Amino acid sequence: MARRRLVLTLLLAPASLWLLLLIVLPHIDLAMLSFRERVAPHQYRASWRQYQTFFVEPLYWQVFIRTALMSAVATALTLLTAFPVAWVITKVARARASAVLFLVCLIPFWVSETVRSLGWLILLRESGVLPALLVRLGVTSVPVELLYHDATILIGLVYTSLLFMVVPLINSFESLDNSLIEAAYDLGANGFTILRRIVIPHAAPGITAGCIVVFMLTLGNYLTPTLLGGKNSQWFTELIYTQFIVRFNWEQGAAFGFLLLALSTAMVALGLRLSGQRFVDVMRRA
């Protein structure tokens, strides 16, 4: 027994050390930063001022709410897009076609997020491919600017998050016995009833896992909203970047970071409660 405990401890030591050094300790340091105020060079005092500034300044909490709402909409759109894709891959397509379809979903992630976002810039900018195509087809008389809109940001967020929703759904659909669906059809159920009574309840852990992962990735995304949304469409991570890098106000940036972490945690807890899922079961599907 003692030997097994020693082996288990040694196996868990690298992961535990990684969590401690790269996650736990930095978060503790950021928490200490967020609750202090600079009163003179190299002199600080404990204060709630950084959090008070967030609620006093309308720009901060408005961008915060906007980021949360846009992330929720992007998560819902990603689910609606990924659900039929995952169903076709697991239940409709044959083995080779299924592998090809999954590869198509995987290929965009072989390159960095920067390259993917720049690809959307080339496609949607006023002098880009899509506006020129619309002019050639006679849809518009002059090239139109398709960038720097909320819809453009949502498209980019769905595109960059699709795989993280498809994979948990595929895991859920693969464990669904086809005989249950066949039996439901034999008993007179229609497609909508089967979807509502069999497919969605069975895939609930995968749906919840995918929504949690996509929402957290979208909420903390910086590059896609910045490139596709422009200066008139601020994302909360952009405010955090500005406080840390531009203004060198680490105290305010740390407070903003913890507010974003609190929002993410609250949304995950709410999603688990509404879906009736346990966190352990959901992470098995992720």
Side-chain angles (χ1 to χ4, degrees), residues 124-138:
L124 299 177
R125 64 183 179 178
E126 187 175 357
S127 59
V129 177
L130 188 55
L133 180 61
L134 293 177
V135 172
R136 181 166 297 184
L137 295 175

PDB file of all heavy atoms in Angstrom, residues 124-138:
ATOM      1  N   LEU A 124     -12.874  39.400 -45.774  1.00  0.00           N
ATOM      2  CA  LEU A 124     -14.014  40.280 -45.528  1.00  0.00           C
ATOM      3  C   LEU A 124     -13.718  41.766 -45.649  1.00  0.00           C
ATOM      4  O   LEU A 124     -14.661  42.570 -45.670  1.00  0.00           O
ATOM      5  CB  LEU A 124     -14.574  40.014 -44.115  1.00  0.00           C
ATOM      6  CG  LEU A 124     -15.093  38.594 -43.841  1.00  0.00           C
ATOM      7  CD1 LEU A 124     -15.529  38.468 -42.400  1.00  0.00           C
ATOM      8  CD2 LEU A 124     -16.242  38.248 -44.777  1.00  0.00           C
ATOM      9  N   ARG A 125     -12.465  42.164 -45.721  1.00  0.00           N
ATOM     10  CA  ARG A 125     -12.179  43.593 -45.801  1.00  0.00           C
ATOM     11  C   ARG A 125     -12.732  44.176 -47.109  1.00  0.00           C
ATOM     12  O   ARG A 125     -13.057  43.444 -48.047  1.00  0.00           O
ATOM     13  CB  ARG A 125     -10.673  43.837 -45.719  1.00  0.00           C
ATOM     14  CG  ARG A 125      -9.878  43.249 -46.865  1.00  0.00           C
ATOM     15  CD  ARG A 125      -8.401  43.481 -46.676  1.00  0.00           C
ATOM     16  NE  ARG A 125      -7.635  42.898 -47.771  1.00  0.00           N
ATOM     17  CZ  ARG A 125      -6.306  42.995 -47.883  1.00  0.00           C
ATOM     18  NH1 ARG A 125      -5.628  43.650 -46.972  1.00  0.00           N
ATOM     19  NH2 ARG A 125      -5.692  42.431 -48.906  1.00  0.00           N
ATOM     20  N   GLU A 126     -12.812  45.498 -47.168  1.00  0.00           N
ATOM     21  CA  GLU A 126     -13.450  46.158 -48.303  1.00  0.00           C
ATOM     22  C   GLU A 126     -12.811  45.799 -49.637  1.00  0.00           C
ATOM     23  O   GLU A 126     -13.494  45.678 -50.658  1.00  0.00           O
ATOM     24  CB  GLU A 126     -13.412  47.677 -48.102  1.00  0.00           C
ATOM     25  CG  GLU A 126     -14.200  48.454 -49.140  1.00  0.00           C
ATOM     26  CD  GLU A 126     -14.243  49.936 -48.847  1.00  0.00           C
ATOM     27  OE1 GLU A 126     -13.699  50.336 -47.780  1.00  0.00           O
ATOM     28  OE2 GLU A 126     -14.813  50.698 -49.639  1.00  0.00           O
ATOM     29  N   SER A 127     -11.504  45.619 -49.638  1.00  0.00           N
ATOM     30  CA  SER A 127     -10.793  45.219 -50.861  1.00  0.00           C
ATOM     31  C   SER A 127     -10.545  43.720 -50.902  1.00  0.00           C
ATOM     32  O   SER A 127      -9.692  43.253 -51.671  1.00  0.00           O
ATOM     33  CB  SER A 127      -9.461  45.969 -50.959  1.00  0.00           C
ATOM     34  OG  SER A 127      -8.648  45.694 -49.815  1.00  0.00           O
ATOM     35  N   GLY A 128     -11.286  42.968 -50.094  1.00  0.00           N
ATOM     36  CA  GLY A 128     -11.049  41.543 -49.978  1.00  0.00           C
ATOM     37  C   GLY A 128     -11.806  40.709 -50.996  1.00  0.00           C
ATOM     38  O   GLY A 128     -12.448  41.221 -51.935  1.00  0.00           O
ATOM     39  N   VAL A 129     -11.750  39.410 -50.799  1.00  0.00           N
ATOM     40  CA  VAL A 129     -12.297  38.447 -51.757  1.00  0.00           C
ATOM     41  C   VAL A 129     -13.815  38.510 -51.810  1.00  0.00           C
ATOM     42  O   VAL A 129     -14.410  38.601 -52.891  1.00  0.00           O
ATOM     43  CB  VAL A 129     -11.828  37.024 -51.397  1.00  0.00           C
ATOM     44  CG1 VAL A 129     -12.457  36.001 -52.354  1.00  0.00           C
ATOM     45  CG2 VAL A 129     -10.313  36.926 -51.430  1.00  0.00           C
ATOM     46  N   LEU A 130     -14.483  38.462 -50.675  1.00  0.00           N
ATOM     47  CA  LEU A 130     -15.947  38.389 -50.663  1.00  0.00           C
ATOM     48  C   LEU A 130     -16.609  39.669 -51.180  1.00  0.00           C
ATOM     49  O   LEU A 130     -17.546  39.578 -51.996  1.00  0.00           O
ATOM     50  CB  LEU A 130     -16.442  38.053 -49.262  1.00  0.00           C
ATOM     51  CG  LEU A 130     -17.941  37.762 -49.127  1.00  0.00           C
ATOM     52  CD1 LEU A 130     -18.363  36.656 -50.065  1.00  0.00           C
ATOM     53  CD2 LEU A 130     -18.283  37.383 -47.685  1.00  0.00           C
ATOM     54  N   PRO A 131     -16.195  40.875 -50.762  1.00  0.00           N
ATOM     55  CA  PRO A 131     -16.805  42.084 -51.358  1.00  0.00           C
ATOM     56  C   PRO A 131     -16.614  42.165 -52.870  1.00  0.00           C
ATOM     57  O   PRO A 131     -17.534  42.587 -53.590  1.00  0.00           O
ATOM     58  CB  PRO A 131     -16.075  43.230 -50.638  1.00  0.00           C
ATOM     59  CG  PRO A 131     -15.678  42.647 -49.324  1.00  0.00           C
ATOM     60  CD  PRO A 131     -15.315  41.231 -49.625  1.00  0.00           C
ATOM     61  N   ALA A 132     -15.446  41.754 -53.373  1.00  0.00           N
ATOM     62  CA  ALA A 132     -15.229  41.754 -54.819  1.00  0.00           C
ATOM     63  C   ALA A 132     -16.143  40.758 -55.515  1.00  0.00           C
ATOM     64  O   ALA A 132     -16.669  41.023 -56.611  1.00  0.00           O
ATOM     65  CB  ALA A 132     -13.765  41.433 -55.117  1.00  0.00           C
ATOM     66  N   LEU A 133     -16.376  39.615 -54.889  1.00  0.00           N
ATOM     67  CA  LEU A 133     -17.277  38.616 -55.462  1.00  0.00           C
ATOM     68  C   LEU A 133     -18.709  39.131 -55.500  1.00  0.00           C
ATOM     69  O   LEU A 133     -19.429  38.890 -56.479  1.00  0.00           O
ATOM     70  CB  LEU A 133     -17.191  37.321 -54.650  1.00  0.00           C
ATOM     71  CG  LEU A 133     -18.072  36.163 -55.114  1.00  0.00           C
ATOM     72  CD1 LEU A 133     -17.695  35.741 -56.527  1.00  0.00           C
ATOM     73  CD2 LEU A 133     -17.959  34.988 -54.149  1.00  0.00           C
ATOM     74  N   LEU A 134     -19.130  39.835 -54.444  1.00  0.00           N
ATOM     75  CA  LEU A 134     -20.488  40.386 -54.418  1.00  0.00           C
ATOM     76  C   LEU A 134     -20.687  41.423 -55.530  1.00  0.00           C
ATOM     77  O   LEU A 134     -21.758  41.486 -56.146  1.00  0.00           O
ATOM     78  CB  LEU A 134     -20.768  41.009 -53.050  1.00  0.00           C
ATOM     79  CG  LEU A 134     -20.834  40.048 -51.865  1.00  0.00           C
ATOM     80  CD1 LEU A 134     -21.039  40.808 -50.565  1.00  0.00           C
ATOM     81  CD2 LEU A 134     -21.932  39.011 -52.051  1.00  0.00           C
ATOM     82  N   VAL A 135     -19.663  42.221 -55.791  1.00  0.00           N
ATOM     83  CA  VAL A 135     -19.744  43.196 -56.879  1.00  0.00           C
ATOM     84  C   VAL A 135     -19.830  42.486 -58.224  1.00  0.00           C
ATOM     85  O   VAL A 135     -20.628  42.841 -59.097  1.00  0.00           O
ATOM     86  CB  VAL A 135     -18.541  44.155 -56.832  1.00  0.00           C
ATOM     87  CG1 VAL A 135     -18.518  45.051 -58.066  1.00  0.00           C
ATOM     88  CG2 VAL A 135     -18.579  44.999 -55.572  1.00  0.00           C
ATOM     89  N   ARG A 136     -19.029  41.455 -58.403  1.00  0.00           N
ATOM     90  CA  ARG A 136     -19.026  40.726 -59.678  1.00  0.00           C
ATOM     91  C   ARG A 136     -20.352  40.024 -59.921  1.00  0.00           C
ATOM     92  O   ARG A 136     -20.802  39.916 -61.075  1.00  0.00           O
ATOM     93  CB  ARG A 136     -17.875  39.723 -59.690  1.00  0.00           C
ATOM     94  CG  ARG A 136     -17.763  38.918 -60.966  1.00  0.00           C
ATOM     95  CD  ARG A 136     -16.433  38.198 -61.047  1.00  0.00           C
ATOM     96  NE  ARG A 136     -15.312  39.147 -61.102  1.00  0.00           N
ATOM     97  CZ  ARG A 136     -14.042  38.775 -61.250  1.00  0.00           C
ATOM     98  NH1 ARG A 136     -13.731  37.488 -61.360  1.00  0.00           N
ATOM     99  NH2 ARG A 136     -13.095  39.687 -61.280  1.00  0.00           N
ATOM    100  N   LEU A 137     -20.999  39.553 -58.860  1.00  0.00           N
ATOM    101  CA  LEU A 137     -22.289  38.883 -59.005  1.00  0.00           C
ATOM    102  C   LEU A 137     -23.447  39.863 -59.120  1.00  0.00           C
ATOM    103  O   LEU A 137     -24.593  39.446 -59.351  1.00  0.00           O
ATOM    104  CB  LEU A 137     -22.526  37.934 -57.816  1.00  0.00           C
ATOM    105  CG  LEU A 137     -21.581  36.744 -57.691  1.00  0.00           C
ATOM    106  CD1 LEU A 137     -21.861  35.973 -56.420  1.00  0.00           C
ATOM    107  CD2 LEU A 137     -21.692  35.833 -58.910  1.00  0.00           C
ATOM    108  N   GLY A 138     -23.172  41.153 -58.951  1.00  0.00           N
ATOM    109  CA  GLY A 138     -24.215  42.155 -59.051  1.00  0.00           C
ATOM    110  C   GLY A 138     -25.022  42.359 -57.799  1.00  0.00           C
ATOM    111  O   GLY A 138     -26.042  43.064 -57.810  1.00  0.00           O
TER     112      GLY A 138
END
